[in-house]
Amino acid sequence: MSLLRVRDLHVHFVARDRYDQVRVARALNGVDLSVDRGEIFGLVGETGAGKSLTAHAIMGLLREPARRVGGSIEFDGRELTVISDDELNSIRGDQIAMVVQSPRTSLDPLTRVGEQIARIHRVHREASAEQAQARALQMMQAVGIPDPQARMRAWPHQFSGGMAQRVLIAMALVNDPQLLIADEPSTGLDVTVQAQILDLLRASVRERQLAALLITHDLGVVAQVCDRVGVMFAGVVVEAGPVEQVFTQPLHPYTRHLIGSSPDRLTLGRGAVRAGAAPDLYNLPPGCPYQNRCPRAQPVCQGELMPLPVDEAHGARCHFPEPGP
Ligand SMILES: Nc1ncnc2c1ncn2[C@@H]1O[C@H](COP(=O)(O)OP(=O)(O)O)[C@@H](O)[C@H]1O
Ligand code: SF4
Ligand SMILES: [Mg+2]
């Protein structure tokens, strides 16, 4: 059974405009995904597709004006949308941990690095100061920080971007979480360092049999480290499956467009797919959110959005997937 299972997750931003009219941005429109132990599930899509929002919803970190208006988030057999804030707080940072982009702003500039790692261990595990220090040292070693004993006492500004990201990964792993969510963990790092960070993530997942949700806008990252992938558009996972299958036999027109527009990949789309502006979340069309950009759109696409065939290893939310039925 999957460790994490998100079903039909809907999140809206509700606000009033200057005429006091209620305006609703439909940011997540029925996200489905699942992540198993020992695998990396990549969530890929353009900026604004709703990837980070999905992560925040799973972490229980949605803040007004964002509201979850439907759907379920099941973690290790427990429904997270109904548990108390206290319970959620104890799960977060312990059983579920998150690594974000831009490590520099996520580290406290006034606290020594080793202490930042140790603190998370102390808070959640009621460890003694000595135990927590020892654990922090062990984690710095595990994430490949050279000379960890000395680096424990260094300040965040003394770390390069790649080393700072390793520290964040150490912080995420210090309490042995079951689920790791990494939101663009290698974005902004130079190519070599990026590859090292991704290798570290992959090794950590394998060794610890973690489930990992890796968020990226980069298909190359998915190809490098993910086992399965979900392609997100306008708050919907429009296609999901094993990476190899999705990349070589994409079913959804949007996936075909993405793969075709990525410079290092084969152009798989038959005929040009119209690129277009980002969808307007305040005015999404009924039915399929991709219909205004889709070369295969038919009137039926304005009807009900197709469900993701969750029982199949590889499927797409499309009336006319390719190869067609
Ligand atoms: N306060 C807000 N009001 C309305 N829409 C918002 C607000 N904050 C974020 N959004 C929208 O939510 C969508 C999802 O954002 P996000 O999850 O950050 O996308 P991604 O991580 O895929 O780039 C974006 O299109 C963004 O414009
Ligand atoms: S459901 Fe219709 S509009 Fe949407 S992607 Fe499929 S063919 Fe295109
Ligand atoms: Mg994001």
Side-chain angles (χ1 to χ4, degrees), residues 66-80:
R67 282 183 212 166
R68 191 184 56 81
V69 294
S72 82
I73 301 167
E74 207 180 288
F75 170 73
D76 201 15
R78 292 173 78 189
E79 179 57 48
L80 296 189

Side-chain angles (χ1 to χ4, degrees), residues 17 19 26 40 80 103 142 175-176 209 212 215 231 274 314:
D17 67 10
Y19 307 107
R26 294 196 287 137
I40 305 185
L80 296 189
N175 289 333
D176 264 329
Q209 281 297 297
I215 293 175
V231 177
R274 267 174 287 146
H314 178 199

Side-chain angles (χ1 to χ4, degrees), residues 27-220:
L28 298 187
N29 298 292
V31 172
D32 295 308
L33 61 87
S34 63
V35 191
D36 296 334
R37 287 187 173 85
E39 79 163 351
I40 305 185
F41 182 90
L43 191 58
V44 70
E46 297 165 26
T47 300
K51 305 181 297 293
S52 296
L53 202 54
T54 301
H56 287 140
I58 295 166
M59 294 288 289
L61 293 173
L62 293 181
R63 294 290 169 262
E64 288 284 328
R67 282 183 212 166
R68 191 184 56 81
V69 294
S72 82
I73 301 167
E74 207 180 288
F75 170 73
D76 201 15
R78 292 173 78 189
E79 179 57 48
L80 296 189
T81 58
V82 298
I83 68 175
S84 70
D85 285 353
D86 281 353
E87 281 178 286
L88 201 55
N89 276 332
S90 75
I91 290 178
R92 188 169 47 224
D94 195 51
Q95 296 172 54
I96 305 181
M98 189 158 166
V99 175
V100 294
Q101 195 188 337
S102 65
R104 293 203 179 284
T105 53
S106 310
L107 290 171
D108 172 1
L110 302 178
T111 304
R112 294 181 199 272
V113 163
E115 171 56 21
Q116 294 194 47
I117 303 171
R119 185 188 285 164
I120 298 177
H121 195 55
R122 268 204 318 274
V123 168
H124 280 274
R125 291 295 159 94
E126 294 171 4
S128 70
E130 292 73 37
Q131 286 168 331
Q133 287 289 318
R135 177 72 178 159
L137 178 62
Q138 187 190 6
M139 289 314 299
M140 286 181 68
Q141 250 155 0
V143 299
I145 293 172
D147 197 7
Q149 191 88 50
R151 302 299 275 166
M152 288 274 287
R153 297 191 49 75
W155 302 98
H157 75 264
Q158 296 173 307
F159 282 68
S160 66
M163 283 298 149
Q165 191 57 286
R166 285 177 192 263
V167 172
L168 283 200
I169 293 171
M171 287 165 74
L173 298 180
V174 71
N175 289 333
D176 264 329
Q178 299 185 59
L179 173 66
L180 179 70
I181 300 178
D183 191 353
E184 308 270 7
S186 60
T187 305
L189 300 173
D190 79 48
V191 181
T192 319
V193 179
Q194 176 164 354
Q196 290 165 355
I197 293 295
L198 294 172
D199 283 348
L200 170 63
L201 279 176
R202 171 123 95 175
S204 307
V205 167
R206 295 285 184 269
E207 273 163 32
R208 296 158 191 267
Q209 281 297 297
L210 295 175
L213 177 63
L214 175 62
I215 293 175
T216 177
H217 64 275
D218 186 339
L219 290 170

Side-chain angles (χ1 to χ4, degrees), residues 252-254 288 290-291 294 296-298 301 317-320:
H252 195 281
Y254 178 63
C288 176
Y290 193 56
Q291 62 191 266
C294 182
R296 299 169 72 94
Q298 299 290 326
C301 305
R317 303 189 69 170
C318 177
H319 285 281
F320 306 106

